[in-house]
Amino acid sequence: NAGVTQTPKFRVLKTGQSMTLLCAQDMNHEYMYWYRQDPGMGLRLIHYSVGEGTTAKGEVPDGYNVSRLKKQNFLLGLESAAPSQTSVYFCASNDRTNSPLHFGNGTRLTVT
Amino acid sequence: RKEVEQDPGPFNVPEGATVAFNCTYSNSASQSFFWYRQDCRKEPKLLMSVYSSGNEDGRFTAQLNRASQYISLLIRDSKLSDSATYLCVVNRGTTDSWGKLQFGAGTQVVVTP
């Protein structure tokens, strides 16, 4: 039982490049989330999904898109990377509201 | 003002000592509260939920003070392995709670030999 798996673990992009971060969970969780974590700030919600085929904006959605075509996968896309998107990205999932979040190991992204 | 505020620390604690720290929240309608632990450069993991009556899990005690809108975490008999950043997490308490968790920036605890 792998839990929540994120790929890649590290990535360096040049400004304007695009990429997709993949999150996969094998716990049959309905809800999935993408957060970013920056120094001195709490985790901030980018986008989330309450079920297959649904997505919603979080606190800081600009510059990101997401898709949840399959229940177990939640993809985060950066269409045109900017240095302000340099951050650590965490995917998380849970099976109902207020249940503990299960996090992936994180993706460290640097945009130069 | 941030919705969830924490003293960033670090709290330097001798091994075996007790350390306590608080987290304040601004939304009086918040209903669910949690402490997560995050080790350096790793993912957060749930330490414990915080219940209205207060709760204990081994050496860890969490308290909720709704009147003053804060939660606290106390660690007794600190171990070197307790060194970590402790994240306060609060649910905003709206009927649609999905995605409404607010994370504090964390309190760093360093336990020294």
Side-chain angles (χ1 to χ4, degrees), chain A residues 6 33-46 59-60 87-92 101 103-104, chain B residues 4 6 36-38 42-45 85 87-89 92 99 101-106:
Chain A
Q6 285 182 237
Y33 313 82
W34 275 106
Y35 290 92
R36 61 178 288 172
Q37 187 174 36
D38 301 293
M41 304 185 74
L43 275 78
R44 292 182 291 168
L45 184 65
I46 305 171
E59 299 172 70
V60 289
S87 188
V88 180
Y89 292 84
F90 286 103
C91 176
L101 289 170
F103 284 89
Chain B
V4 179
Q6 295 185 250
Y36 278 72
R37 172 196 169 121
Q38 186 173 27
K42 295 200 172 175
E43 75 276 19
K45 293 184 179 178
T85 297
L87 307 179
C88 171
V89 184
R92 286 180 185 165
L101 292 176
Q102 285 292 299
F103 284 78

Side-chain angles (χ1 to χ4, degrees), chain B residues 84-96:
Chain B
T85 297
Y86 292 85
L87 307 179
C88 171
V89 184
V90 175
N91 185 299
R92 286 180 185 165
T94 58
T95 52
D96 171 13

Side-chain angles (χ1 to χ4, degrees), chain B:
Chain B
R1 182 186 171 190
K2 292 180 183 177
E3 286 201 44
V4 179
E5 295 206 63
Q6 295 185 250
D7 183 336
F11 284 67
N12 294 298
V13 186
E15 197 174 4
T18 295
V19 61
F21 42 89
N22 296 337
C23 160
T24 58
Y25 61 93
S26 61
N27 188 337
S28 59
S30 298
Q31 296 177 7
S32 305
F33 309 88
F34 309 89
W35 284 106
Y36 278 72
R37 172 196 169 121
Q38 186 173 27
D39 294 299
C40 186
R41 301 173 77 82
K42 295 200 172 175
E43 75 276 19
K45 293 184 179 178
L46 179 69
L47 178 67
M48 58 197 300
S49 302
V50 185
Y51 303 120
S52 296
S53 55
N55 50 299
E56 213 173 277
D57 183 0
R59 298 181 293 106
F60 297 84
T61 301
Q63 296 278 357
L64 167 63
N65 185 316
R66 284 193 186 274
S68 300
Q69 294 184 204
Y70 72 88
I71 64 173
S72 64
L73 182 67
L74 182 145
I75 308 173
R76 287 187 302 278
D77 188 22
S78 298
K79 312 290 184 193
L80 295 176
S81 57
D82 294 333
S83 296
T85 297
Y86 292 85
L87 307 179
C88 171
V89 184
V90 175
N91 185 299
R92 286 180 185 165
T94 58
T95 52
D96 171 13
S97 294
W98 294 301
K100 298 295 191 282
L101 292 176
Q102 285 292 299
F103 284 78
T107 295
Q108 185 183 8
V109 172
V110 179
V111 182
T112 55

Side-chain angles (χ1 to χ4, degrees), chain A residues 15-89:
Chain A
T15 298
Q17 288 184 318
S18 63
M19 77 165 293
T20 300
L21 282 68
L22 171 64
C23 177
Q25 53 95 3
D26 60 4
M27 297 171 283
N28 202 36
H29 285 171
E30 285 293 335
Y31 314 135
M32 297 187 74
Y33 313 82
W34 275 106
Y35 290 92
R36 61 178 288 172
Q37 187 174 36
D38 301 293
M41 304 185 74
L43 275 78
R44 292 182 291 168
L45 184 65
I46 305 171
H47 285 281
Y48 63 100
S49 168
V50 301
E52 181 178 313
T54 72
T55 63
K57 293 181 180 179
E59 299 172 70
V60 289
D62 293 342
Y64 306 96
N65 57 74
V66 287
S67 64
R68 184 111 181 258
L69 298 178
K70 293 183 178 181
K71 186 177 183 179
Q72 63 268 34
N73 295 337
F74 195 28
L75 278 63
L76 178 71
L78 286 73
E79 291 181 343
S80 179
S84 60
Q85 294 177 305
T86 293
S87 188
V88 180
Y89 292 84

